[in-house]
Amino acid sequence: MVEENQNEMNGQQGLDGVEVNQLLTGTVSRVDEKQALIDVGYKYDGILPISEVSSLHIEKVADVLSEGQEIQVKVIRLDQEKDEMIVSKRAVDAEKAWDELAGKFESGEVFEATIADNVKGGLVVDLGVRGFIPASHVERHFVEDFSDYKGRTLSVKVIELDKEKNKVILSHRAVLEDEADKQKQTVLDKLEPGSVIEGTVQRLTDFGAFVDVGGVDGLVHISEIAWNHVDKPSDVLKEGDKVNVKILKVDKENERISLSIKATLPGPWEQATQDFKIGDVVQGTVKRLVSFGAFVEVAPGVEGLVHISQIANRHIGTPDEVLKEGEEVSVKILDFNPEEERMSLSIREVQDEKQKQETKKEVAAYQAEESNANGMGVTIGDRMGDLLKKFKS
């Protein structure tokens, strides 16, 4: 009985002083398809089964190990009768990995991981334990096909860790979002209200356009797109357009930027100084009728007043006796003050001028007719006689 107990103790201690759970450093002496032999300095090599090589599934041992490579292994089983020592590389890697991952999870450390495989729902990495990057945590944008990620190295951080369940969840998207947030703060610190910079239209909505100004999106409200009225931003802009924008306001706390495109363009009255001068006759649209006259738009954002006395060449009591809103009219510019954004217009003078021109044409036609008639020996009396005959008949 004493001898059996002694043999049992010797078995627990292992052959040649080797014990189960002991860590050994050795050299790969032979690589077979499903196992490797590890020379750990004892009278026989340790056997490393393919299932104990890696935390991930591998097809053959040579995918991970090569002869002459030095590795650390853990003794997981001893067999005295067969003189076998079964060792595990996976157990050593996992023990180290859990300690390291716990520290990285606590600190939020970003580290590099090489993609070992793509599986349904995401990507797999070998960290000494199996790490998983869910599809929704690979990029900030949707990725349809992950096949080209195998072999790539991504910066990741641990977002979930559970040793008991052997769960390690990683995220590359979280790293990208952190970088974007830092970039956003850098940009926000540099942006100065009043400055003009170039941006790219990223997205159009019913109420305006979001423009990228260096990694941060700012809003150009629909009222700030153009000087003239805009029904829909898509009528004027499209995604990808390069535009100059003026920074109106920067709210660093709420990360909001207000931008204007129209503020970078010549104002309507500034442009009007190049397009109009006193005495010009131009087309306009009646925008509003008031008791003392009518406001007529002669260019987007440029309205002039037609005083009631300048609406018609006859007396009228109210502008709506002659005009209606939306009507197209010809007006003459009587006075123009772009600094004060004022313009005085006249419909009556256009009508008077038109009447004068028609009268001149009638007189010229009559004179030409008289000249022709005199050349044929026909007198005014003769012509009057002809007219009387026509009248009587």
Side-chain angles (χ1 to χ4, degrees):
M1 186 71 176
V2 174
E3 185 178 351
E4 289 180 0
N5 290 337
Q6 186 63 45
N7 288 338
E8 186 177 345
M9 290 177 63
N10 289 339
Q12 288 174 344
Q13 290 177 348
L15 299 176
D16 298 324
V18 180
E19 299 177 354
V20 172
N21 291 327
Q22 183 176 342
L23 296 181
L24 301 172
T25 299
T27 304
V28 178
S29 60
R30 194 176 80 189
V31 175
D32 297 327
E33 185 176 356
K34 298 300 180 182
Q35 69 177 28
L37 297 183
I38 312 299
D39 180 359
V40 290
Y42 290 89
K43 69 178 181 181
Y44 53 86
D45 290 342
I47 299 173
L48 176 62
I50 190 171
S51 61
E52 294 297 328
V53 173
S54 170
S55 62
L56 305 182
H57 172 74
I58 58 175
E59 294 297 330
K60 54 184 184 295
V61 176
D63 290 339
V64 177
L65 299 176
S66 57
E67 290 185 11
Q69 184 178 347
E70 186 176 271
I71 62 171
Q72 193 171 37
V73 293
K74 185 175 187 179
V75 179
I76 59 174
R77 193 169 71 251
L78 293 169
D79 191 324
Q80 283 181 316
E81 295 180 359
K82 295 182 179 179
D83 283 344
E84 284 185 349
M85 175 171 57
I86 310 301
V87 297
S88 172
K89 175 180 179 295
R90 180 169 67 93
V92 176
D93 293 341
E95 193 168 325
K96 290 181 180 178
W98 283 114
D99 290 340
E100 291 178 0
L101 288 170
K104 290 176 178 177
F105 180 48
E106 186 175 343
S107 66
E109 179 185 341
V110 175
F111 57 97
E112 301 295 307
T114 302
I115 307 304
D117 201 2
N118 61 293
V119 296
K120 184 178 181 180
L123 304 173
V124 174
V125 298
D126 183 5
L127 301 172
V129 293
R130 184 180 188 273
F132 182 62
I133 307 176
S136 60
H137 280 272
V138 176
E139 302 286 356
R140 296 179 71 194
H141 57 271
F142 173 75
V143 178
E144 186 173 357
D145 183 9
F146 291 103
S147 58
D148 64 342
Y149 278 78
K150 188 174 181 179
R152 287 176 55 183
T153 299
L154 299 179
S155 52
V156 297
K157 64 192 303 185
V158 182
I159 58 172
E160 190 176 344
L161 192 66
D162 190 329
K163 187 174 181 180
E164 290 183 4
K165 295 181 179 179
N166 201 38
K167 180 189 290 187
V168 181
I169 306 300
L170 309 170
S171 175
H172 177 54
R173 189 190 74 188
V175 176
L176 297 176
E177 288 178 345
D178 287 346
E179 291 174 351
D181 287 342
K182 291 177 183 177
Q183 173 69 14
K184 182 180 290 186
Q185 286 303 318
T186 301
V187 174
L188 287 170
D189 290 339
K190 290 181 179 179
L191 294 178
E192 292 291 336
S195 60
V196 175
I197 57 177
E198 185 181 70
T200 305
V201 177
Q202 292 291 331
R203 186 162 51 94
L204 299 175
T205 67
D206 291 338
F207 55 85
F210 285 94
V211 177
D212 181 346
V213 287
V216 182
D217 285 352
L219 174 64
V220 180
H221 190 267
I222 190 169
S223 62
E224 292 294 332
I225 291 178
W227 287 105
N228 56 300
H229 175 73
V230 176
D231 289 324
K232 294 184 299 182
S234 58
D235 292 339
V236 182
L237 301 169
K238 64 179 183 297
E239 293 180 3
D241 280 351
K242 299 289 184 181
V243 293
N244 288 324
V245 291
K246 184 175 183 178
I247 301 169
L248 302 180
K249 184 179 179 182
V250 179
D251 184 345
K252 295 180 182 179
E253 185 176 345
N254 295 306
E255 299 182 352
R256 292 178 181 174
I257 307 168
S258 297
L259 306 171
S260 174
I261 294 175
K262 79 175 186 182
T264 68
L265 305 172
W269 288 92
E270 183 181 350
Q271 184 63 40
T273 60
Q274 302 176 32
D275 298 338
F276 304 113
K277 63 181 182 299
I278 294 175
D280 284 352
V281 175
V282 297
Q283 291 297 115
T285 304
V286 178
K287 303 300 286 186
R288 288 177 294 136
L289 297 176
V290 293
S291 60
F292 54 86
F295 286 94
V296 175
E297 185 181 62
V298 295
V302 179
E303 290 185 7
L305 173 64
V306 182
H307 190 267
I308 190 170
S309 63
Q310 294 294 328
I311 289 179
N313 49 20
R314 60 182 175 83
H315 175 74
I316 59 172
T318 57
D320 59 8
E321 292 179 24
V322 180
L323 300 173
K324 61 179 182 293
E325 292 182 358
E327 181 180 353
E328 297 291 324
V329 292
S330 293
V331 292
K332 184 176 183 179
I333 301 174
L334 303 181
D335 190 27
F336 181 31
N337 189 335
E339 288 77 17
E340 297 182 7
E341 298 186 357
R342 294 175 60 184
M343 183 182 287
S344 297
L345 307 172
S346 174
I347 297 174
R348 188 187 73 184
E349 288 205 13
V350 175
Q351 293 175 338
D352 288 346
E353 184 63 30
K354 185 177 180 181
Q355 186 63 50
K356 288 178 183 178
Q357 294 300 323
E358 289 178 354
T359 300
K360 284 182 180 179
K361 288 180 182 179
E362 289 174 355
V363 171
Y366 174 74
Q367 289 175 337
E369 191 175 347
E370 278 296 303
S371 176
N372 290 335
N374 289 336
M376 296 173 62
V378 180
T379 64
I380 292 177
D382 293 334
R383 293 185 63 204
M384 291 297 293
D386 292 339
L387 287 172
L388 286 172
K389 288 178 182 179
K390 291 179 179 179
F391 177 74
K392 289 179 179 180
S393 62

